[in-house]
Amino acid sequence: MDNEKRKSDHPVNPLILMRWSPRSFTSAPVPEEKLNSILEAARWAPSCFNEQPWKWIVARTEADRQRVLEVLAETNRVWADKAPVLLVLVSHTVFSRNGKPNRWNGFDAGCAWGYLALEAVRQGLYAHAMGGFDKAKARAVLNIPEDYEIYAVIAMGEQGPEENLPEELQERELPSDRKALSDMVCEGLYRETGL
Ligand SMILES: Cc1cc2nc3c(=O)[nH]c(=O)nc-3n(C[C@H](O)[C@H](O)[C@H](O)COP(=O)(O)O)c2cc1C
């Protein structure tokens, strides 16, 4: 776990700095108990009316993985095909309590993904989310109902050696930095910058 390159301006839970999105994975299977803990962490995410609108489609058999790989953009497939687990994150766009649109479903699913990604690191694994996939194809191939939004495909497993990647991806295999906190926070009123 390489968090040397990430320094926070204020102290935070170390898992937050350890998490990043590598592209090189080993094909070592993810043990059942680790996968369960990772999905369990996401289960405890907060959600509007405690609706828990998200659902994870887990692909880890060869047939299931191939079905998911087929919907990925080629630029993602070239590296994600090594990952032993692929997850597809979908979320119910309608409240089950009253059938009205749930405009917070994406907010809730995103939070669940964040929990999942942090627990993955705690389990010695990495999770890399991808928006680069064919949504219509995913809906058809994975049998996803129309009232579920499809947010991301997530590659998960142990980090692999950089040399396993195509050359152009090797140089990008690094944890990234962040904008300044003052670019993300404003006090009292909306402002472009400034705490
Ligand atoms: C919704 C979403 C979509 C993303 N789509 C892709 C993608 O299609 N391909 C890819 O390689 N990375 C993708 N990423 C990874 C981001 O590029 C990455 O999280 C970001 O650069 C920050 O880097 P870090 O996760 O290593 O901290 C995506 C991340 C998110 C959250």
Side-chain angles (χ1 to χ4, degrees):
M1 283 187 230
D2 178 4
N3 68 347
E4 287 307 300
K5 299 187 184 67
R6 289 192 158 179
K7 301 262 181 275
S8 61
D9 289 347
H10 305 279
V12 293
N13 178 337
L15 286 176
I16 291 171
L17 299 179
M18 288 175 182
R19 188 218 58 81
W20 66 290
S21 304
R23 291 189 174 86
S24 181
F25 288 94
T26 73
S27 52
V30 172
E32 183 85 12
E33 62 276 14
K34 287 194 178 196
L35 181 60
N36 284 340
S37 288
I38 290 165
L39 294 167
E40 177 76 14
R43 179 179 168 224
W44 288 97
S47 59
C48 186
F49 285 118
N50 200 18
E51 176 84 9
Q52 303 154 67
W54 57 83
K55 195 181 278 288
W56 306 96
I57 300 172
V58 180
R60 50 190 166 151
T61 67
E62 205 37 44
D64 288 351
R65 285 175 65 264
Q66 285 310 322
R67 204 178 298 115
V68 174
L69 288 171
E70 201 185 303
V71 310
L72 284 182
E74 178 60 23
T75 47
N76 286 326
R77 197 184 306 125
V78 290
W79 56 267
D81 64 354
K82 315 288 180 309
V85 177
L86 296 166
L87 301 166
V88 183
L89 174 57
V90 303
S91 183
H92 202 191
T93 58
V94 171
F95 279 116
S96 53
R97 61 205 300 274
N98 58 16
K100 292 192 172 155
N102 177 0
R103 73 182 181 88
W104 297 278
N105 84 84
F107 186 85
D108 297 344
C111 183
W113 142 249
Y115 277 34
L116 176 134
L118 289 180
E119 182 61 27
V121 174
R122 207 178 74 88
Q123 299 292 337
L125 304 174
Y126 289 90
H128 187 150
M130 292 166 274
F133 63 92
D134 183 330
K135 197 157 83 162
K137 196 168 173 187
R139 192 175 295 289
V141 170
L142 302 170
N143 202 25
I144 299 166
E146 284 296 331
D147 57 348
Y148 277 73
E149 181 56 89
I150 311 171
Y151 284 110
V153 178
I154 294 155
M156 192 166 74
E158 278 176 11
Q159 190 183 357
E162 199 177 292
E163 303 73 59
N164 285 6
L165 292 170
E167 219 162 279
E168 64 278 12
L169 290 181
Q170 288 187 21
E171 56 207 46
R172 293 168 58 194
E173 191 70 344
L174 284 171
S176 53
D177 202 353
R178 289 297 182 266
K179 295 192 242 180
L181 193 57
S182 56
D183 289 336
M184 301 176 174
V185 184
C186 48
E187 191 146 344
L189 287 175
Y190 177 84
R191 293 172 223 273
E192 282 300 318
T193 61
L195 251 180

